[in-house]
Amino acid sequence: MSEETTHFGYQKIPVAHKTKRVSRVFESVAEQYDLMNDLMSLGLHRWWKKLAIARSLIQPDNTVLDLAGGTGDLTQEVIKQLGPNGRVILADINAAMLAKSREKLVNRGILQGVSRIQANAEDLPFHNNSIDRILMAFGLRNVTFKEKALKEMARVLKPGGRMVILEFSTVTSKPFGKLYDAYSFSVLPKLGKWLCNDEQSYQYLAESIRVHPNQEELKSMILAAGFNRCDYQNIQAGVVALHIGYKIKPV
Ligand SMILES: C[S@@+](CC[C@H](N)C(=O)[O-])C[C@H]1O[C@@H](n2cnc3c(N)ncnc32)[C@H](O)[C@@H]1O
């Protein structure tokens, strides 16, 4: 019987190996992750994340899940919108990224209203209908079973809640796409080598973006997972897309 495979960038690997390979990427880049994000996107990722938070319409008493929260960029902004009864849960599969989030949040004096847990998006340790808002920035691309993760998000979200996914997507302009490809495959891995001594992880980044579902495919997956409605908007000609899944009825 042939083994089930999945993408790891352009490579096809056994599904059982993907989580470990992705973990190695983030263990390797955790220390320089924030600096690399600023350099790679020329600071634009900060604006993309602010837009995702604005579109999630957080209320002061909400329980917000920052899924695949990494070093806590979203968490540190979301907490500003919450009152004393609101809270943010930063969940990530990777211990090194969680450790960086702890360091960053503590250094910024963000201690109240935030909990951090190590969890796989495919198997969320939350009750059904218990979370008001879910934000996932640049995480879904790395998940082995994306359909499973989307179903889990639909399960834990409260009816009336929103899930906002910010992810690299498919560029909609051909001339710009050529420039973007040149940048992704020539400049990014070199930056990775220079700053993290890790060219391969940034080669993986460029490749994983190309094999990720495009805007319409992701929208279909979100609806198939049990969300009642999904809208999306392209940002910077589709370099990034922001998908919003609405849960109206219990799943
Ligand atoms: C590119 S980083 C994004 C971090 C943060 N959300 C941001 O936007 O800066 C991707 C994160 O997804 C996490 N991740 C990958 N697979 C995951 C999974 N199956 N469940 C939860 N987190 C996962 C990684 O550990 C990593 O921290």
Side-chain angles (χ1 to χ4, degrees), residues 117-147:
I117 58 162
Q118 190 165 10
N120 187 340
E122 294 165 10
D123 186 15
L124 292 175
F126 307 115
H127 294 296
N128 296 353
N129 309 311
S130 60
I131 308 276
D132 296 286
R133 300 286 184 267
I134 300 174
L135 288 139
M136 190 181 204
F138 306 109
L140 189 65
R141 196 170 22 90
N142 300 293
V143 172
T144 310
F145 296 105
K146 296 174 185 43
E147 287 87 355

Side-chain angles (χ1 to χ4, degrees), residues 203-227:
Q203 180 74 24
Y204 160 73
L205 168 65
E207 291 178 3
S208 68
I209 292 169
R210 273 50 182 199
V211 295
H212 186 64
N214 69 27
Q215 290 83 336
E216 280 295 322
E217 287 163 349
L218 181 54
K219 177 177 175 173
S220 301
M221 287 167 70
I222 288 170
L223 293 173
F227 288 89

Side-chain angles (χ1 to χ4, degrees), residues 22 26 33 37 49 66-71 73 91-94 97 119-122 137-139 141-143:
V22 169
F26 289 104
Y33 177 81
N37 270 354
K49 287 169 179 165
D66 177 7
L67 185 56
T71 60
D73 274 2
D92 199 285
I93 201 168
N94 189 284
M97 293 295 273
N120 187 340
E122 294 165 10
F138 306 109
R141 196 170 22 90
N142 300 293
V143 172

Side-chain angles (χ1 to χ4, degrees), residues 37 40-55 74 135 137-138 164-168 176 180 183 233-242:
N37 270 354
M40 280 184 320
S41 73
L42 305 173
L44 283 172
H45 75 105
R46 293 169 183 259
W47 180 75
W48 299 335
K49 287 169 179 165
K50 285 202 163 115
L51 185 66
I53 292 170
R55 297 294 311 274
L74 290 180
L135 288 139
F138 306 109
V164 176
I165 294 184
L166 181 67
E167 189 51 272
F168 292 110
F176 177 63
Y180 178 59
Y183 171 75
Q233 77 181 87
N234 286 323
I235 308 170
Q236 255 100 47
V239 167
V240 169
L242 205 154

